[in-house]
Amino acid sequence: MEVLSRTNLVAMAKVAIRSRERQAVVRPYAGMLLLQTLRWRDEIRDPGDLAHLVPAVPLSDRERRLAEVLVREMIGVDDSVDHDRYAHALEQLVDAVVAGDESAEPPQPEPAVDLMTALQQSVEEARFFRLRQQQCGRAAVTLLQKESKSGKASV
């Protein structure tokens, strides 16, 4: 692990998962080795085969600019609060069935959302959180400066 960290390299591996052999990359992460599976060359389709499945939807300049703003604003966002809603709902359904709840039904899919509205909302939320982060940072610096001037600095 130390050598991989120091050389900024990864190791290639072959592992068996569910009776299938997979290629994998082993890399250092947070003081541990992380295994990330890869696809075999024959499992990756030529994008030309898929072109007919992607509808040609024109993208306006406004939509493109808004998407660029969102990407810039989302840099460094903490995703630790995000979770797999499908897996959670499935787990609840299995628990209900195991407990004998015959009325347990799978969750209904969420209604479709307007992508432009969702994109605008994401940009606004990212800007708000970045601004709050900057304000909190400035407030902490100001507080430390006041403490150091008064001789109460704890740093």
Side-chain angles (χ1 to χ4, degrees), residues 91-154:
E91 187 177 306
Q92 286 182 327
L93 178 63
V94 168
D95 289 345
V97 170
V98 167
D101 184 2
E102 296 295 327
S103 64
E105 290 187 26
Q108 297 301 314
E110 295 179 13
V113 296
D114 176 23
L115 292 180
M116 275 304 291
T117 302
L119 183 59
Q120 286 175 319
Q121 183 179 358
S122 293
V123 167
E124 290 169 11
E125 287 174 4
R127 281 185 177 157
F128 172 78
F129 287 116
R130 184 159 317 271
L131 180 63
R132 289 291 296 154
Q133 189 177 29
Q134 290 170 351
Q135 289 172 343
C136 290
R138 278 190 231 119
V141 168
T142 304
L143 180 62
L144 287 174
Q145 289 171 341
K146 285 180 182 178
E147 286 179 353
S148 66
K149 286 180 184 177
S150 67
K152 296 180 183 177
S154 58

Side-chain angles (χ1 to χ4, degrees), residues 50-64:
L50 303 174
H52 69 281
L53 299 175
V54 181
V57 177
L59 191 62
S60 71
D61 287 339
R62 179 175 175 267
E63 291 168 327
R64 186 174 285 108

Side-chain angles (χ1 to χ4, degrees), residues 77-88:
V77 169
D78 178 19
D79 65 346
S80 64
V81 295
D82 203 8
H83 65 280
D84 185 348
R85 291 188 303 232
Y86 174 79
H88 180 69

